[in-house]
């Protein structure tokens, strides 16, 4: 007979519960399986943040007065925590008589009084239930009940979970577990305490770790039933900001957000006492703002499969009526569409897959990301980013990881790269697929919650969904485009009048040329150039009129001007600061070469800012950004040389890597300078932040590459958290202090890259030392290289 070591339980927990949200999901799901009467509540009670404890202990280690350090601890205590937790923590701190005891008290208090509680008002567990069910890993009681429901033709599964491993999710969140539970007929609470660290003894066998329920205190009321899971010695640094972030996305997607709010299972999250954190709800207006959508119903009726797909083109950025297409596919169609000639999937899977529904709402993100958006459009853009992805739900609860940012289960991104026309990638969709345990018994989760098991039925569902989204919707949108996009708004009268004026002006210039001589010819040439500029402007104005009339975007233009004012103010402030820094560095020095580099950089920056000011006048012809030919190598060297004084002051070592041959590009030089300057500005700030806290050699590395022209920029500062990889480019997002917080730099830098048809990205490459992202990549199109 096999014997199991105690640490096997820890290995199971770490392998099967791969993230914090899955741990919460398992605990919450157990509450609903217990038939909770008031939903499930998750309460964070954090007396002192974990990172604060680490900082305090480092300070105590350096020495000092005990009372001073106790005062510092007091300042870090969160007054919003429960009175019981604060009192217990303070009692430990007060007892400390020296610095070593204070450090011990800090660690012990953090482990004991920082807690997470997950509670329900379900049926609860008796002492016997704790022994025979809760402490049995892989118990089959629920699985038997689910299988009986399926065999009996029940309309709904009696349980969400059936593997008997959910209790291991608690160890993901903390090393100490306390269960307080009771059935209605129990006279008192039943208690179970587990210290998961006890299982880390490599020599201990599982049956050598004593774990048994005990009788606790009185129940809240005589008839009360329910369960409270109390987790202490927490693994992670829980802050209110992090909990709010999880409530805004992870908890919000835990149950079906498409359902009416009143019909969704109640999950409530609280931070310290009764400070309820709102779980985001999907606004109905968001789906109404979609530019296209596809929905479908796959049904098996009396053994016959049928698929109905409805595609809608709502607003494709050109004038067209609402277009809808509905197609119905029967078994014969599905056999050719899904099964095919290869026969990898048996025909029976068309039936055994069961019935399911789906919907996917498509947003043209290029339209949402335009800088001339209104506040309402920006809100829609942010909400679309929050809810993007096509999620899978079983009985209203999410099946992981489908719909996660890094999950492309329908291969939408890969297909989008191969397809011309409309880009249908995963980030452009908000959608859901609904299945059920009794209606789709062959669609089973993998044990580690990393998706469905690969079965013929799973393959049928995937092929149906990919066809509907990639092929059917994509083809339908292209058809609508071919049908309507060629139709133009009638501007013939305006075009005729403008053309007449142009012809008259050209004739007048021709007469002047014949009558002029000498220096006067230069004036005629200037007049000829002015006419050419205005002719070009008239053509662009006509195109702009068409676009405005098609999209009804007059208010958008006004909002765009307002945004540009903010952008220009930011650039003026930064360029002025650079100018002052440059002039300060030139005082009393013989620096002819430095003078050239300083003023070359300043000239390029101020030239670009001046043009941005001109763009504020929508009728300006002379305010256009003009491209010029320059070498990317020299631009980088000039920028670095211009910052030498600043780098020396901050003890930053710049390291430049250039190719053997100069990389010549045609671009708006001022914009490229703005990108480099914003990256340098960010690096200097975050290198300083790290330098204030630890001893290290700050570095900025800039590399120039060719084919296509590319600039790689990285530093060894704090880096960016992977989850903030895209957030940092959002308008007005900044993590700097109040005096320096603008949130425009990277937004402007990415806009400048896009202006050239290039891209500015934070590379998804974690630094081994920090686990964060440090490398920015600016890539210009191949055509920019000369």
């Amino acid at each position: 007979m096999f014997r199991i070591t105690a640490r096997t339980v820890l290995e199971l927990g770490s392998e099967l519960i791969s993230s914090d949200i899955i741990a919460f999901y398992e605990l919450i799901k157990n509450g609903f399986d217990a038939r909770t009467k008031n939903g499930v509540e998750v309460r964070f009670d954090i007396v002192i943040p974990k990172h604060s404890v680490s900082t305090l202990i480092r300070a105590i280690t350096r020495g000092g007065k005990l009372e001073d350090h106790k005062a510092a601890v007091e300042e870090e205590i969160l007054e919003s925590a429960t009175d019981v937790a604060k009192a217990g923590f303070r009692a430990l701190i007060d007892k400390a008589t020296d610095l070593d005891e204070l450090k011990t008290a800090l660690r012990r208090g953090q482990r004991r009084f920082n807690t997470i509680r997950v509670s329900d008002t379900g049926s609860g567990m008796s002492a016997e239930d704790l022994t025979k069910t809760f402490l049995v890993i892989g118990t089959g009681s629920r699985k038997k009940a689910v299988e009986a429901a399926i065999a009996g033709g029940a309309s709904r599964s009696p349980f969400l979970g059936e593997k008997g491993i959910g209790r291991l999710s608690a160890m993901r969140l903390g090393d100490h577990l306390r269960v307080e539970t009771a059935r209605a007929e129990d006279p008192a609470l039943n208690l179970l305490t587990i210290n998961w660290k006890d299982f880390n003894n490599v020599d201990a066998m599982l049956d050598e770790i004593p774990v048994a329920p005990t009788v606790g205190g009185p129940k809240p009321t005589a008839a009360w039933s329910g369960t409270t899971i109390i987790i202490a010695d927490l693994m992670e640094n829980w802050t209110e900001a992090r909990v709010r972030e999880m409530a805004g996305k992870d908890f919000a997607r835990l149950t079906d957000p498409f359902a009416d709010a009143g019909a969704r299972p109640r999950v409530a999250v609280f931070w310290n006492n009764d400070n309820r954190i709102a779980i985001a709800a999907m606004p109905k207006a968001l789906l109404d703002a979609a530019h296209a959508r596809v929905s479908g119903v796959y049904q098996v009726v009396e053994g016959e499969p049928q698929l109905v797909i409805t595609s809608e083109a709502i607003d494709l950025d050109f004038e067209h009526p609402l277009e809808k297409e509905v197609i119905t596919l029967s078994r014969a169609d599905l056999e050719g569409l899904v099964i095919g000639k290869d026969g990898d999937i048996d025909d029976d899977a068309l039936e055994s897959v069961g019935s399911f529904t789906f919907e996917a709402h498509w947003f043209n993100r290029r339209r949402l990301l335009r800088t001339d958006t209104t506040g309402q459009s920006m809100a829609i853009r942010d909400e679309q980013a929050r809810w993007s992805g096509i999620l899978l739900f079983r009985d209203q609860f999410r099946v992981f990881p489908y719909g996660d940012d890094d999950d492309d289960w329908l291969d939408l991104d890969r297909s989008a790269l191969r397809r011309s026309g409309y880009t249908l990638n995963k980030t452009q969709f908000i959608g859901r697929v609904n299945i059920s345990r009794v209606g789709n018994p062959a669609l089973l989760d993998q044990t580690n919650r990393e998706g469905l098991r690969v079965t013929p039925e799973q393959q049928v569902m995937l092929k149906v969904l990919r066809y509907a989204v990639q092929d059917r919707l994509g083809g339908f949108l292209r058809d609508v485009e071919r049908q309507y996009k060629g139709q133009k708004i009638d501007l013939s009268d305006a075009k005729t009048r403008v053309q007449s004026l142009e012809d008259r002006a050209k004739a007048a210039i021709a007469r002047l040329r014949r009558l002029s001589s000498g220096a006067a010819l230069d004036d005629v040439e200037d007049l000829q150039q002015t006419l050419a500029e205005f002719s070009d402007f008239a053509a662009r104005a006509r195109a702009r009129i068409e676009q405005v009339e098609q999209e009804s975007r007059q208010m958008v233009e006004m909002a765009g001007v307002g945004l540009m004012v903010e952008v220009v103010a930011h650039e003026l402030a930064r360029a002025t600061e650079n100018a002052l820094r440059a002039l300060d560095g030139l005082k009393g020095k013989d620096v002819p070469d430095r003078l050239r580099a300083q003023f070359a950089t300043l000239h390029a920056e101020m030239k670009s800012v001046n043009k941005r000011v001109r763009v504020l006048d929508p009728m300006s012809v002379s305010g256009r950004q003009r491209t010029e030919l320059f070498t990317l190598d020299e631009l980088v060297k000039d920028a670095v040389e211009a910052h030498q004084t600043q780098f020396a002051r901050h003890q930053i070592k710049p390291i430049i890597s250039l190719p053997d041959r100069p990389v010549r590009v045609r671009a708006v030089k001022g914009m490229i300078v703005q990108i480099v300057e914003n990256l340098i500005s960010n690096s200097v700030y975050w290198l300083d932040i790290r330098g204030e806290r630890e001893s290290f050699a700050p570095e900025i590395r800039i590399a120039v590459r060719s084919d296509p022209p590319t600039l790689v920029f990285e530093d060894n500062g704090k880096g960016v958290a992977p989850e903030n990889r895209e957030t940092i480019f959002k308008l007005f997002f900044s993590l700097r202090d109040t005096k320096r917080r603008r949130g425009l730099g990277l937004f402007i830098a990415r806009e400048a890259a896009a202006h050239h048809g290039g891209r500015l990205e934070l590379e998804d490459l974690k630094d081994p030392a920090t686990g964060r992202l440090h490398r920015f990549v600016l890539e210009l199109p191949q055509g920019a290289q000369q």
Side-chain angles (χ1 to χ4, degrees):
M1 178 181 292
F2 287 108
R3 296 191 68 200
I4 301 175
T5 61
R7 63 189 304 271
T8 303
V9 174
L10 302 181
E11 296 293 336
L12 278 174
S14 62
E15 290 295 323
L16 301 181
I17 311 298
S18 57
S19 68
D20 291 337
I21 190 59
I22 290 181
F24 282 115
Y25 166 71
E26 292 291 339
L27 295 172
I28 291 169
K29 185 179 62 177
N30 285 343
F32 286 98
D33 278 344
R35 305 293 183 268
T36 179
K37 297 176 281 294
N38 300 310
V40 175
E41 294 184 352
V42 180
R43 292 181 176 270
F44 293 82
D45 193 5
I46 307 299
V47 180
I48 185 168
K50 194 171 185 178
H51 69 84
S52 296
V53 172
S54 299
T55 301
L56 289 167
I57 288 177
R58 286 197 297 270
I60 295 170
T61 302
R62 291 193 292 268
K65 295 181 179 180
L66 177 63
E67 293 307 316
D68 290 343
H69 286 299
K70 284 189 176 183
V73 172
E74 181 64 30
E75 290 180 0
E76 295 298 323
I77 294 176
L78 301 180
E79 287 300 327
S80 58
T82 61
D83 291 339
V84 172
K86 287 186 295 186
F89 181 81
R90 283 176 171 136
L92 286 177
I93 299 301
D94 290 343
K95 291 179 181 178
T97 59
D98 57 38
L99 295 183
D100 288 336
E101 288 185 5
L102 182 59
K103 289 193 290 186
T104 300
L106 268 172
R107 295 189 182 99
R108 185 177 300 166
Q110 167 203 292
R111 290 195 297 265
R112 180 177 175 184
F113 294 106
N114 283 352
T115 62
I116 298 174
R117 293 171 176 254
V118 182
S119 59
D120 66 71
T121 54
S123 58
M125 291 178 283
S126 65
E128 184 178 5
D129 293 332
L130 287 172
T131 301
K132 294 185 176 181
T133 302
F134 189 87
L135 289 177
V136 177
I137 298 174
T139 179
S141 58
R142 290 184 178 178
K143 183 173 179 60
K144 292 177 183 177
V146 171
E147 291 177 345
I150 295 173
S155 60
R156 188 175 180 86
S157 172
F159 297 108
L160 296 167
E162 55 189 276
K163 293 183 175 63
I165 60 172
R167 70 271 290 139
L168 298 181
S169 58
M171 73 171 65
R172 166 80 191 193
L173 300 174
D175 277 331
H176 190 275
L177 170 66
R178 177 182 172 90
V179 180
E180 298 179 355
T181 184
R183 287 190 168 275
E185 61 271 19
D186 288 337
L189 291 173
N190 302 302
L191 306 181
L192 182 67
T193 300
I194 300 176
N195 187 343
W196 297 112
K197 291 180 179 178
D198 294 341
F199 293 77
N200 208 24
N201 185 341
V202 295
D203 297 321
M205 305 304 292
L206 183 58
D207 55 10
E208 296 173 357
I209 306 298
V211 177
T214 60
V215 177
K219 300 194 300 182
T221 65
W224 183 88
S225 65
T227 300
T228 299
I229 302 291
I230 306 170
I231 304 166
D233 199 356
L234 303 180
M235 297 291 190
E236 300 292 333
N237 177 48
W238 291 102
T239 63
E240 183 176 359
R242 183 182 177 191
V243 174
R244 288 189 180 278
E245 182 180 356
M246 290 188 70
K249 187 163 186 178
D250 294 324
F251 280 109
R253 294 150 68 104
L254 199 60
T255 60
D256 186 357
F258 291 77
D260 292 336
R264 294 180 69 182
R266 178 183 178 268
V267 178
V269 178
F270 296 86
W271 172 262
N272 285 1
N273 276 303
D274 293 322
N275 180 18
R276 185 166 180 177
I277 305 295
I279 294 178
M282 182 186 296
K284 185 179 184 299
L286 175 62
L287 301 184
D288 293 339
H291 301 118
R293 65 173 58 95
V294 62
S295 60
V297 178
Y298 188 100
Q299 286 183 302
V300 180
V301 181
E302 296 182 353
E304 289 300 312
Q306 182 186 75
L307 174 63
V308 179
I309 301 175
T310 302
S311 301
E312 296 177 76
I314 303 166
D315 182 1
L316 302 184
D317 209 12
F318 55 84
E319 188 170 311
H320 67 87
L322 173 65
E323 289 288 323
K324 179 184 284 190
E325 174 193 78
V326 180
I327 64 169
T328 301
L329 305 179
S330 62
R331 174 186 285 275
D333 303 310
L334 294 170
E335 287 174 349
L337 176 71
V338 178
I339 306 302
K341 293 193 300 181
D342 295 334
D344 294 337
I345 303 173
D346 191 85
D347 286 6
D348 291 343
L350 293 174
E351 304 168 33
S352 56
V353 66
S355 301
F356 60 91
T357 62
F358 59 89
E359 60 183 288
H361 305 259
W362 179 76
F363 295 79
N364 186 336
R365 287 179 59 84
R366 285 180 297 179
R367 292 180 63 185
L368 296 178
L369 292 172
R370 287 173 184 168
T371 58
D372 58 344
T373 53
T374 63
Q376 180 181 3
S377 296
M378 291 179 70
I380 291 175
R381 180 192 68 189
D382 292 341
E383 286 296 320
Q384 196 276 335
R386 181 205 299 270
W387 298 103
S388 66
I390 299 179
L391 307 170
L392 177 62
F393 295 95
R394 179 190 290 111
D395 297 321
Q396 291 190 289
F397 279 80
R398 188 173 167 200
V399 178
F400 288 90
Y402 303 116
D404 279 349
D405 292 339
D406 56 354
D407 179 73
D408 187 20
W409 67 301
L410 298 183
D411 286 335
L412 295 176
D413 288 353
R414 187 186 310 170
S415 300
L417 293 174
R418 299 193 301 262
R419 183 186 294 110
S420 60
Y422 287 96
T423 302
L424 305 179
N425 57 45
K426 68 178 190 294
T427 60
Q428 292 181 298
F429 282 99
I430 297 176
R432 66 171 173 176
V433 181
N434 282 325
I435 63 176
S436 69
R437 183 64 182 92
V438 297
N440 310 95
L443 298 178
L444 299 173
D445 290 0
Q446 297 183 46
T447 304
N448 62 359
R449 303 299 183 196
E450 292 300 318
L452 299 175
R453 298 177 187 174
V454 179
T455 63
E457 292 80 8
Q458 179 246 17
Q459 290 297 302
V460 168
M461 185 180 73
L462 285 180
K463 289 191 175 187
V464 167
L465 295 172
R466 288 168 180 165
Y467 170 75
V469 177
Q470 296 176 7
D471 299 284
R472 193 63 262 134
L473 178 63
F476 174 65
L477 297 184
R478 287 191 293 271
D479 288 342
V480 174
E481 181 181 42
R482 284 193 295 268
Q483 183 178 357
Y484 292 103
K485 193 171 184 180
Q487 299 182 6
K488 302 295 183 181
I489 297 175
D490 185 12
L491 292 174
S492 56
D493 183 58
K495 292 179 182 178
T496 301
R497 292 179 62 186
V498 171
Q499 186 63 52
S500 175
L501 291 172
E502 289 179 4
D503 292 342
R504 288 168 56 189
K506 289 177 180 177
I509 290 173
R511 288 194 299 271
L512 286 173
R513 190 185 300 276
R514 289 195 300 270
L515 297 173
S516 303
S517 62
L521 284 175
D522 293 338
D523 295 332
V524 175
E525 290 297 329
D526 288 342
L527 186 58
Q528 179 74 50
Q529 179 61 33
T530 301
L531 175 61
E533 288 196 18
F534 274 100
S535 296
D536 176 64
F537 174 70
R540 290 187 291 109
R542 287 196 298 269
R544 185 60 179 155
I545 290 170
E546 292 177 349
Q547 189 176 21
V548 169
E549 287 186 356
Q550 285 180 350
E551 299 182 3
S552 301
R553 290 164 59 184
Q554 290 88 342
M555 292 300 295
V556 170
E557 295 295 334
M558 296 177 66
V561 170
L563 175 60
M564 186 60 69
V565 170
E566 182 72 18
V567 169
V568 170
H570 171 76
E571 290 300 309
L572 284 172
R574 187 184 55 75
T576 303
E577 290 171 358
N578 286 347
L580 292 173
R581 223 173 6 246
L583 293 173
D584 185 61
L586 292 172
K587 289 181 180 178
K589 296 182 180 179
D590 182 17
V591 284
D593 292 337
R594 186 184 300 275
L595 186 66
R596 175 192 58 79
Q598 295 276 2
F599 280 100
T601 299
L602 289 173
H603 175 74
E605 287 194 62
M606 296 308 295
K607 182 178 178 181
S608 180
V609 171
N610 176 261
K611 290 174 180 177
R612 284 185 176 273
V613 173
R614 292 183 181 182
V615 171
L616 287 173
D617 178 7
M619 301 304 294
S620 170
V621 177
S622 59
R624 292 173 294 174
Q625 296 275 13
R626 298 184 185 276
T627 61
E628 57 183 291
L629 191 63
F630 60 93
T631 65
L632 204 54
D633 315 52
E634 288 298 321
L635 183 147
V636 169
K637 288 192 290 186
D638 287 346
V640 171
E641 189 172 350
H643 283 273
Q644 282 294 352
T645 301
Q646 182 187 26
F647 290 160
R649 188 167 63 251
H650 294 267
Q651 298 182 325
I652 297 172
K653 179 181 179 182
I655 301 173
I656 303 177
S657 175
L658 302 176
D660 295 333
R661 299 179 60 184
V663 178
R664 294 171 59 83
V665 298
R666 180 169 293 280
V668 181
K669 188 175 182 181
M671 283 189 169
I672 306 303
V673 169
Q674 285 175 316
I675 295 174
V676 175
E677 288 293 326
N678 277 314
L679 293 175
I680 290 176
S681 174
N682 284 340
S683 284
V684 170
Y685 180 83
W686 291 108
L687 288 169
D688 281 351
I689 293 297
R690 184 180 177 187
E692 291 173 0
R693 289 157 176 80
E694 56 184 288
S695 176
F696 81 115
E699 294 178 351
I700 291 178
R701 295 176 177 268
I702 308 176
V704 176
R705 301 170 184 168
S706 59
D707 300 317
T710 302
L711 187 148
V712 180
F713 186 103
E714 60 185 317
D715 61 48
N716 61 343
K718 289 290 188 179
V720 178
E723 57 268 25
N724 287 334
R725 183 183 174 210
E726 288 300 315
T727 307
I728 60 173
F729 293 100
K730 284 188 175 182
L731 186 62
F732 304 132
F733 176 85
S734 175
L735 296 177
R736 295 192 185 192
D737 60 46
T738 305
K739 290 174 61 177
R740 298 168 179 84
R741 191 175 304 147
R742 296 294 182 272
L744 286 168
L746 288 176
F747 171 81
I748 294 171
R750 176 170 274 191
E751 183 191 54
H755 175 85
H756 294 86
R759 65 181 183 92
L760 176 64
E761 304 284 351
L762 178 59
E763 192 169 274
D764 191 13
L765 178 65
K766 292 182 181 179
D767 184 276
T770 65
R772 293 164 70 86
L773 311 181
H774 293 251
R775 180 178 296 171
F776 288 88
V777 177
L778 168 64
E779 182 180 292
L780 297 175
Q782 182 66 49
Q785 187 165 338
Q786 302 295 309

